[in-house]
Amino acid sequence: MCIRDSSTTVDAVRVSLEFTSIAMVIVVGLGTPMALYIARSTTRERLWWQAILLISILLPPLALGILISLAFGPDALGTFLARFGLKMTNTPLAFVVTQVYVSIGYYILGAVAALDGVPRSLELQGGLLGHDRWNVFWRITFPIARLGFAVALSLAWVRALTEFGAVMITAYYPAGMPVALWTNLENVGLPAVMPLLVVFLVTALPLPWLVHVLAQRRLSRA
């Protein structure tokens, strides 16, 4: 029993860390350009985008899982994806897509808030000096907003890593740490939960804690 539980714990940790890392790469890759667009859009357009993004934040996790299942079900995108051998139920793809959907709103809205703190005049001056948008972003925008981006990423990381309700519906297998915690508690009891719970807390908490400390140090020096 101990060997099996240990193996299950290791598998759950590997699944969560591996797939959450992949999800964060996608979140940053998609979310950063979207945040730049929203931050530079008109007030009315920004409100529409924020309303759309808030859906994934405000809806209950179980409702999110149901919506994702319906969107990728056989009566929607599921049939189309099946032609390419892509299955959106109990697969790594389903796991990652669910994590991206539940966490990308946190990253984008946090990134937009970070970009709002960048003086627009500095970006315009960079453009007048002959820098293209890419160079302006890396030389001016990102250095000023990098801590805000880090906060947004840490929130997205924790949201994705700790997601249970939506992932349980779309990707019960492979089981990540939240699902493994629940199944261990149901099948074995509280003693079986404690080792995985410790690992869960160690992997979920340090990143946002570190970002918070860095933010406080930066504010104290300002």
Side-chain angles (χ1 to χ4, degrees):
M1 175 67 72
C2 292
I3 296 177
R4 186 183 66 184
D5 291 345
S6 176
S7 177
T8 301
T9 298
V10 172
D11 288 342
V13 173
R14 178 188 60 79
V15 166
S16 282
L17 295 182
E18 179 180 331
F19 293 161
T20 304
S21 298
I22 295 173
M24 290 303 99
V25 172
I26 297 173
V27 164
V28 172
L30 295 178
T32 303
M34 291 180 65
L36 284 167
Y37 177 81
I38 295 172
R40 304 296 179 250
S41 62
T42 63
T43 301
R44 183 175 182 179
E45 188 174 3
R46 173 187 285 220
L47 290 175
W48 277 107
W49 278 109
Q50 289 175 335
I52 294 172
L53 292 169
L54 283 173
I55 294 176
S56 65
I57 295 176
L58 299 179
L59 280 179
L62 288 176
L64 287 175
I66 293 172
L67 289 176
I68 294 172
S69 296
L70 291 174
F72 293 99
D75 296 327
L77 294 175
T79 302
F80 174 76
L81 294 175
R83 298 176 183 175
F84 302 94
L86 300 176
K87 184 181 178 183
M88 287 299 299
T89 303
N90 293 331
T91 61
L93 177 61
F95 196 108
V96 171
V97 168
T98 302
Q99 286 193 316
V100 169
Y101 185 74
V102 301
S103 63
I104 195 169
Y106 290 84
Y107 177 78
I108 294 177
L109 293 179
V112 169
L115 291 168
D116 285 341
V118 178
R120 183 62 174 153
S121 59
L122 292 179
E123 295 178 326
L124 294 175
Q125 289 175 11
L128 292 175
L129 291 174
H131 297 293
D132 57 25
R133 292 184 179 180
W134 180 255
N135 284 326
V136 168
F137 176 78
W138 283 112
R139 291 174 179 268
I140 299 174
T141 307
F142 183 75
I144 298 175
R146 64 181 184 276
L147 189 57
F149 277 110
V151 171
L153 179 59
S154 68
L155 291 175
W157 167 267
V158 173
R159 181 67 178 89
L161 188 69
T162 60
E163 177 54 39
F164 170 71
V167 171
M168 183 180 67
I169 293 177
T170 62
Y172 191 84
Y173 297 103
M177 285 189 284
V179 173
L181 280 171
W182 181 74
T183 55
N184 287 349
L185 182 63
E186 287 288 309
N187 297 331
V188 183
L190 191 61
V193 172
M194 298 311 296
L196 184 57
L197 181 60
V198 172
V199 176
F200 191 31
L201 294 176
V202 168
T203 54
L205 295 181
L207 180 60
W209 178 83
L210 179 61
V211 171
H212 175 74
V213 170
L214 292 175
Q216 292 301 314
R217 290 181 61 182
R218 181 176 179 180
L219 290 175
S220 64
R221 293 176 180 176

